[in-house]
Amino acid sequence: YACTAGSFQNIRKRTHARTAQEMEDELATGILADLIRGQNESKPVASVMEVHREAITAPCLRDLLKKLSECDLRVHRMASEEVLDWAKENARDELETYHFNKVIKLQGSESLWREALKTYSDLKVYGLSPSNYTFSILISACGRNGRWEEALKAFDDMKENNVSPDLMTFGAIISVCEKGGQWKEAFKAWEDMKEAGIIANVITYNSLIGTCDKADQWEEAFKVWEHMKAAGVQGDKFTYSTIIRLYKKRGQWQEALKVFE
């Protein structure tokens, strides 16, 4: 049967034993069921959401978008976009950064970098502050499409918004620079990372070594390798195979053999 806003209000009143989170989760599950049913019946998302207008709260939206994001079908990304569009028009006071992040994440996963940038822009239009996670997923969305310039712009926006990058964000921007062949930009981010006191992990070190390899900056790659060892970060198959290959290219067989030690 189709859930109604009134029935949701009754759910809220039914018991005081459950937590607020449990009740919001039940509400979101009910709305999700109606959205799926509505899609099967070719009903617009907005019309389904309108039925539940009185029940929509920030936590309910949060749970609903989370549940939609856990569905692997493209149609659920589109539904998430429409739910957010409806909320922007009808539940503006309930909007949170989290809601926009969920949509940006889904758009990025489908390589829709333009759409992800638009959603990020809307987040700011609605007076919300982007989080560290916002920038990480936005940078990754751009990088997935080779849009390193847009990724670097997002990284600059992060600094302008006084949001401090963490390991995830630094890793994302360095990875984007690797894919875009921008080794100097990658090293700038690494310097910022060291100044912030954030220790790189093997993934970030590999990205740095990889970007040096692609740019034929072998000396820089070896510097990263030495820094990695000094930091006590254990390399993996990619690390060792790349360093050995670079030593071989230079005819430094003894150094290559030392990597095995």
Side-chain angles (χ1 to χ4, degrees):
Y1 68 96
C3 302
T4 66
S7 69
F8 281 132
Q9 296 300 332
N10 290 333
I11 289 173
R12 282 200 175 96
K13 297 175 183 177
R14 192 177 301 159
T15 176
H16 296 292
R18 290 177 297 161
T19 66
Q21 176 58 45
E22 288 173 333
M23 288 190 286
E24 295 296 351
D25 183 73
E26 183 176 339
L27 293 173
T29 299
I31 296 174
L32 177 63
D34 277 1
L35 285 172
I36 294 173
R37 187 179 298 109
Q39 287 177 345
N40 293 334
E41 297 172 1
S42 299
K43 288 183 180 179
V45 168
S47 67
V48 177
M49 293 297 293
E50 194 61 31
V51 173
H52 308 301
R53 175 191 285 268
E54 294 181 14
I56 298 296
T57 63
C60 181
L61 272 176
R62 193 184 311 128
D63 286 345
L64 178 58
L65 288 169
K66 181 176 184 295
K67 291 177 186 298
L68 281 169
S69 72
E70 291 168 352
C71 300
D72 294 328
L73 301 177
R74 180 178 66 88
V75 68
H76 291 101
R77 186 265 304 164
M78 297 172 67
S80 295
E81 292 173 332
E82 292 184 54
V83 167
L84 183 60
D85 286 341
W86 179 89
K88 286 188 287 189
E89 293 294 324
N90 302 282
R92 182 170 184 149
D93 292 342
E94 301 296 338
L95 286 172
E96 298 176 340
T97 298
Y98 177 95
H99 304 141
F100 288 85
N101 285 351
K102 274 299 179 184
V103 174
I104 292 172
K105 176 70 173 176
L106 286 168
Q107 291 167 332
S109 67
E110 291 192 40
S111 299
L112 300 172
W113 64 274
R114 290 187 180 87
E115 289 80 353
L117 287 172
K118 174 63 167 59
T119 303
Y120 165 65
S121 178
D122 287 348
L123 181 155
K124 294 188 291 183
V125 167
Y126 281 82
L128 297 172
S129 299
S131 64
N132 200 306
Y133 183 68
T134 307
F135 290 107
S136 293
I137 57 178
L138 186 62
I139 289 168
S140 294
C142 294
R144 190 172 286 112
N145 292 271
R147 309 301 301 189
W148 61 268
E149 290 176 312
E150 286 80 2
L152 287 173
K153 175 63 168 58
F155 193 57
D156 288 339
D157 283 353
M158 185 177 197
K159 297 173 185 176
E160 291 174 9
N161 280 271
N162 296 315
V163 178
S164 299
D166 60 6
L167 177 59
M168 180 179 178
T169 318
F170 277 120
I173 194 64
I174 290 172
S175 176
V176 168
C177 291
E178 177 197 1
K179 293 174 183 176
Q182 303 300 310
W183 74 272
K184 290 183 179 179
E185 294 294 341
F187 269 68
K188 284 181 184 177
W190 187 35
E191 288 302 319
D192 289 345
M193 188 176 182
K194 288 187 286 186
E195 286 181 14
I198 298 174
I199 300 174
N201 58 19
V202 64
I203 297 172
T204 303
Y205 277 116
N206 282 348
S207 291
L208 287 165
I209 292 171
T211 193
C212 292
D213 181 20
K214 292 176 182 177
D216 291 330
Q217 296 295 322
W218 300 345
E219 289 297 334
E220 298 301 326
F222 295 138
K223 288 178 183 178
V224 174
W225 166 240
E226 292 301 326
H227 191 282
M228 182 178 182
K229 291 190 292 181
V233 178
Q234 181 67 42
D236 59 14
K237 183 177 180 179
F238 173 88
T239 317
Y240 294 120
S241 61
T242 303
I243 293 298
I244 290 170
R245 179 167 50 78
L246 292 179
Y247 276 130
K248 285 181 177 180
K249 278 186 176 181
R250 295 186 58 173
Q252 294 178 277
W253 296 95
Q254 292 298 321
E255 294 298 326
L257 289 172
K258 287 180 181 178
V259 176
F260 288 103
E261 297 176 359

